Amino acid sequence: MKYDFDEIIAREGTDAFKLELREFFFGTSDVLPLWVADMDFKAPPAVIKAIRDRAAHEIYGYTIRDDKFTGAIQNWVSKQHDWNIEQSWIKFIPGVLASLVIAINEFTEEGDQVIIQTPVYPPFHSIVKENKRELVKNILTEKDGYYAIDFDLLEKQAANPKAKILILSNPHNPVGRAWNKEELKKMCEICIKYDLLVVSDEIHSDLCLFGHKHLVMADLFPELKDRIITAMAPSKTFNIAGLSTAYAIIEDVNLRKRFEKRLSAYQMYMGNLFGGVALTAAYNEGSDWLDKMKTYLEDNAVFVKDFIEENMPEVGYVLPEATYLLWLDFRKWGVPHDELKKAMIKIGKVGLNDGLSFGEEGEGFQRLNIGSPKVIIKEGMERILKVRKHFLDKQG
Ligand SMILES: Cc1ncc(COP(=O)(O)O)c(C=O)c1O
């Protein structure tokens, strides 16, 4: 089937976070929104139809998620990631981030340490701090745009008896790495040696690009069984984040029971009727759409790469192994971060995620969302070029 990812769909008037919160985040609505992680593509036709059909019933009462839901997940993770799970391991959660909140509160005490790998998705920082745990930053290393894990540092950090959890972003937002077997193995060994729980956020797992394959940590290393919580969702994959539907997969029964208990204590188990409908349709019938959408994303990523090479070769960039989020390095422009950020908004009128929101390692960086029709991405790059011209002209 053919899908029109080039179609420009107006999102004004739909209460879209990406548009409506521009004033709040950028101080103006006059920026091209290429920031928060949802895409400007329609959901797969099967998802749209399933929601329409369910909406037509006109009664929207409390819902259950039975084996249609868990069965769709079971088949999906088996087909996509060769991971064979039992349906009983699956727990609905209203968002992947809920799994971080639950794990931190259920499995650690106030003042305990939680390790994250920075630069990383901003809520990883805030959730740890807002829940009164100590944030430990296992800063990723970077060479020519390629990020890797500092295992010596990780081992030192894990060895601290106060360290209790490692939160993994796999594939990693924003640096675009899909961690390889060797990397996952080393993390696994460290977590076992120092008795850490792993919360593996695999929300971007279906979005591996350019032949990269996602490796599920819990599947690769059965020895992690009683210390790993994997969180996944159809939200990024099928552009249905507004339906607040995700799930945790936890094999170990004791771990799962504690997770469930906390889910219940937080009254987080009910969720949204349409989310279940959408997940089931997406997983059962959405793989062709996903394959084609990923090809479109690859074309967009290559377009950005070519554009940069041709027009601003000093901007750091590597093709992502996964995600539709590109981590652009503007450090060679030699301008203070604050000026860079302001110029993107005021001169370029382009709304990117500010690098510093991912941690201080993001200084000089901006994150670009390429989940939009090509003409929009082209327009975004032209705007960034305008910012470059502004700075270069100033430098004389
Ligand atoms: C790594 C990562 N985790 C979690 C989320 C948000 O997940 P949810 O909306 O399901 O809580 C995002 C969204 O961009 C993300 O990039």
Side-chain angles (χ1 to χ4, degrees):
M1 199 167 160
K2 278 192 117 183
Y3 312 94
D4 186 5
F5 299 111
D6 287 325
E7 185 184 359
I8 296 181
I9 302 166
R11 296 183 67 181
E12 282 77 10
T14 63
D15 296 332
F17 189 107
K18 200 174 189 176
L19 273 70
E20 303 309 331
L21 290 191
R22 283 178 293 183
E23 185 71 46
F24 181 79
F25 280 99
F26 301 103
T28 170
S29 295
D30 189 21
V31 287
L32 188 69
L34 298 173
W35 59 304
V36 68
D38 69 29
M39 303 188 282
D40 296 323
F41 307 136
K42 281 185 192 167
V47 171
I48 298 169
K49 181 175 183 311
I51 290 177
R52 285 208 174 113
D53 288 352
R54 183 60 187 84
H57 183 262
E58 300 183 357
I59 295 179
Y60 311 122
Y62 289 125
T63 187
I64 58 152
R65 282 172 210 83
D66 60 10
D67 52 8
K68 288 196 289 302
F69 180 85
T70 48
I73 295 170
Q74 185 185 37
N75 287 335
W76 182 257
V77 297
S78 158
K79 258 191 343 210
Q80 283 283 315
H81 307 302
D82 304 316
W83 189 19
N84 295 316
I85 62 167
E86 288 178 19
Q87 293 186 30
S88 60
W89 302 357
I90 301 168
K91 285 289 132 209
F92 162 82
I93 39 177
V96 160
L97 291 176
S99 66
L100 273 59
V101 178
I102 290 171
I104 286 172
N105 283 288
E106 181 60 30
F107 300 105
T108 72
E109 304 289 334
E110 275 191 21
D112 280 347
Q113 295 181 339
V114 177
I115 305 173
I116 63 172
Q117 296 177 307
T118 58
V120 76
Y121 183 54
F124 280 28
H125 302 246
S126 58
I127 287 175
V128 174
K129 290 193 235 161
E130 284 165 7
N131 286 283
K132 302 191 174 63
R133 272 51 174 179
E134 193 184 324
L135 186 70
V136 177
K137 297 205 294 182
N138 177 231
I139 299 169
L140 299 172
T141 61
E142 185 263 333
K143 192 168 183 301
D144 301 328
Y146 187 80
Y147 282 82
I149 295 167
D150 182 342
F151 286 104
D152 292 338
L153 178 62
L154 182 61
E155 173 133 26
K156 269 195 215 117
Q157 292 168 329
N160 186 324
K162 278 170 75 187
K164 296 289 188 286
I165 294 186
L166 171 67
I167 302 178
L168 207 67
S169 178
N170 183 29
H172 190 96
N173 170 12
V175 308
R177 286 290 323 281
W179 302 120
N180 64 36
K181 193 169 176 181
E182 194 51 36
E183 289 166 321
L184 292 170
K185 184 168 187 290
K186 283 190 192 155
M187 286 193 276
C188 164
E189 285 165 357
I190 290 174
C191 289
I192 290 176
K193 183 166 170 196
Y194 298 105
D195 194 22
L196 257 59
L197 179 79
V198 182
V199 180
S200 188
D201 174 342
E202 303 188 14
I203 195 168
H204 296 284
S205 54
D206 302 323
L207 294 168
C208 280
L209 304 175
F210 302 109
H212 288 276
K213 182 159 169 41
H214 175 70
L215 300 175
V216 174
M217 194 179 196
D219 184 34
L220 273 186
F221 307 107
E223 57 273 38
L224 281 175
K225 179 178 144 191
D226 56 359
R227 62 174 71 251
I228 187 162
I229 294 168
T230 305
M232 293 180 161
S235 51
K236 303 289 151 189
T237 317
F238 295 104
N239 203 28
I240 51 175
L243 295 172
S244 295
T245 296
Y247 51 92
I249 301 179
I250 309 167
E251 178 176 358
D252 182 73
V253 68
N254 294 323
L255 208 57
R256 195 163 66 235
K257 281 206 172 119
R258 288 182 65 182
F259 188 91
E260 255 173 313
K261 204 177 77 204
R262 194 54 80 147
L263 195 60
S264 163
Y266 291 162
Q267 296 292 317
M268 275 192 192
Y269 52 82
M270 181 55 74
N272 169 308
L273 160 67
F274 290 104
V277 169
L279 176 145
T280 307
Y283 282 174
N284 291 343
E285 301 169 70
S287 55
D288 179 56
W289 180 94
L290 176 60
D291 287 346
K292 289 176 180 146
M293 199 279 292
K294 287 203 301 184
T295 303
Y296 195 88
L297 291 180
E298 288 173 351
D299 286 352
N300 277 0
V302 170
F303 169 79
V304 171
K305 180 177 186 294
D306 292 346
F307 190 98
I308 288 176
E309 275 168 16
E310 214 168 287
N311 301 289
M312 37 179 144
E314 73 289 348
V315 172
Y317 171 81
V318 290
L319 286 174
E321 295 175 354
T323 83
Y324 51 80
L325 307 164
L326 306 186
W327 188 233
L328 304 182
D329 179 356
F330 295 97
R331 287 176 297 182
K332 291 208 173 126
W333 283 2
V335 294
H337 186 89
D338 202 43
E339 273 186 44
L340 172 72
K341 178 182 166 182
K342 275 197 205 132
M344 289 294 178
I345 300 167
K346 295 219 164 90
I347 311 285
K349 297 185 191 306
V350 57
L352 307 170
N353 284 87
D354 184 45
L356 275 180
S357 65
F358 298 83
E360 59 206 22
E361 306 73 31
E363 181 161 9
F365 289 78
Q366 300 279 299
R367 193 190 73 177
L368 168 73
N369 178 341
I370 56 162
S372 293
K374 232 166 240 94
V375 286
I376 306 277
I377 301 305
K378 183 163 185 300
E379 174 63 29
M381 293 311 294
E382 297 287 354
R383 291 179 183 217
I384 294 174
L385 190 56
K386 209 171 148 196
V387 180
R388 176 186 194 261
K389 191 168 171 328
H390 161 79
F391 285 127
L392 291 196
D393 284 356
K394 252 176 51 179
Q395 286 164 12

